[in-house]
Amino acid sequence: MAHRTEALFRDDAYLKTADATVVAINERGGIILDRTIFYATSGGQPGDTGHLERTDGSRIAIAATITGETKDEIIHVPAPEQAMPVVGETVKLIIDWERRHLLMRMHAACHLLTVVCPFPITGASVSEDDSRVDFDIPDASFTREEVTAGMMDLVRADHPIFTRLISDEELAANPGLVKSKNVRPPVGTGKIRLVCIGENGAVDSQPCGGTHVKSTGEIGEIHIGKIEKKGRENRRFRIRFGPMPAN
């Protein structure tokens, strides 16, 4: 039977620590808690790393966080040769905040790219220093310089980034909210999580379960490292931190 983990990061992506209770250890040694601040690998964003601190002060290093039988079951994968907690034990959760914050900035940057390039998304992957978004674009006239300038205009405008919930019916009535060409957001719960940019979502609104910074200004300087052709109509845009190299 799948367990349901309360995902604290969905309401507050800035939580660095929290307390939780161990509810299960699965057959592979994965640790399942009643609540967590650790994001589980999903939607192109990698899961969090960090550690669990036990009441005696010892630590259990967490090498990865993944989903289980359902998206609501979050499994904390310990690094090799870690002491294991017992069911019912209370632990303190501590994520690798520096890594998480880079991922939050980068994931938000990917959203800005979809604003500047409003085409169907065919794939995406977020990492700490080099992320990609693939688009179905027949015309290859975009330049790295133009796309970078458009994204940096949005960064400098320091638009707010926030989440809100809509119903399945609202999503069905607004199909344009879904930018992915092949992946549909899960429906059936009655609540779809939108990530919105700008006042009242004026810049962008799209279904997303990831973690993001609170404003576009917090993303910092970014640029398009390269645009790659991946098939007749597929273009891969790579986002990197920092200013665009001069060459």
Side-chain angles (χ1 to χ4, degrees), residues 4 9 17 19 23 29-31 34 45 51 62 126 137 155 177 182 207 213 226 246:
R4 183 180 178 86
F9 56 80
T17 65
D19 294 322
V23 296
I31 302 167
D34 64 337
Q45 180 177 329
H51 61 268
I62 299 300
V126 182
I137 306 177
V155 169
L177 291 172
N182 305 314
V213 288
K226 60 170 74 170

Side-chain angles (χ1 to χ4, degrees), residues 12-47:
D12 186 355
Y14 287 79
L15 287 173
K16 302 176 183 70
T17 65
D19 294 322
T21 301
V22 178
V23 296
I25 308 292
N26 71 12
E27 66 280 0
R28 295 184 179 180
I31 302 167
I32 303 171
L33 307 168
D34 64 337
R35 61 209 296 260
T36 191
I37 55 174
F38 282 70
Y39 180 82
T41 300
S42 181
Q45 180 177 329

Side-chain angles (χ1 to χ4, degrees), residues 31-172:
I31 302 167
I32 303 171
L33 307 168
D34 64 337
R35 61 209 296 260
T36 191
I37 55 174
F38 282 70
Y39 180 82
T41 300
S42 181
Q45 180 177 329
D48 281 320
T49 57
H51 61 268
L52 310 181
E53 189 173 290
R54 308 176 80 179
T55 52
D56 64 2
S58 64
R59 292 182 168 188
I60 301 167
I62 299 300
T65 310
I66 59 176
T67 53
E69 292 179 36
T70 70
K71 288 272 190 182
D72 289 323
E73 184 177 67
I74 297 176
I75 300 169
H76 307 76
V77 181
E81 300 178 17
Q82 300 291 300
M84 294 299 287
V86 297
V87 173
E89 184 175 342
T90 299
V91 292
K92 183 177 184 180
L93 287 59
I94 302 167
I95 59 170
D96 179 345
W97 171 250
E98 193 170 313
R99 175 177 178 270
R100 158 69 87 75
H101 193 240
L102 285 171
L103 292 169
M104 287 164 59
R105 290 168 58 201
M106 194 60 100
H107 199 151
C110 290
H111 282 242
L112 296 192
L113 175 56
T114 71
V115 174
V116 177
C117 296
F119 297 94
I121 299 166
T122 55
S125 179
V126 182
S127 76
E128 300 103 299
D129 51 14
D130 183 300
S131 298
R132 66 169 175 83
V133 181
D134 299 348
F135 295 98
D136 185 353
I137 306 177
D139 177 15
S141 63
F142 281 94
T143 67
R144 294 188 307 135
E145 291 76 13
E146 288 169 344
V147 178
T148 296
M151 292 173 71
M152 283 307 302
D153 284 345
L154 293 169
V155 169
R156 283 188 285 267
D158 200 20
H159 295 291
I161 302 176
F162 61 97
T163 62
R164 71 183 186 90
L165 297 175
I166 63 170
S167 67
D168 294 348
E169 292 74 24
E170 285 176 279
L171 181 67

Side-chain angles (χ1 to χ4, degrees), residues 175-216:
L177 291 172
V178 181
K179 297 191 175 187
S180 175
K181 185 175 182 179
N182 305 314
V183 181
R184 314 303 292 176
V187 296
T189 62
K191 293 180 179 178
I192 308 292
R193 181 180 188 258
L194 289 187
V195 171
C196 307
I197 302 174
E199 295 296 335
N200 299 315
V203 174
D204 188 48
S205 294
Q206 59 179 293
C208 183
T211 60
H212 310 77
V213 288
K214 290 178 181 174
S215 71
T216 59

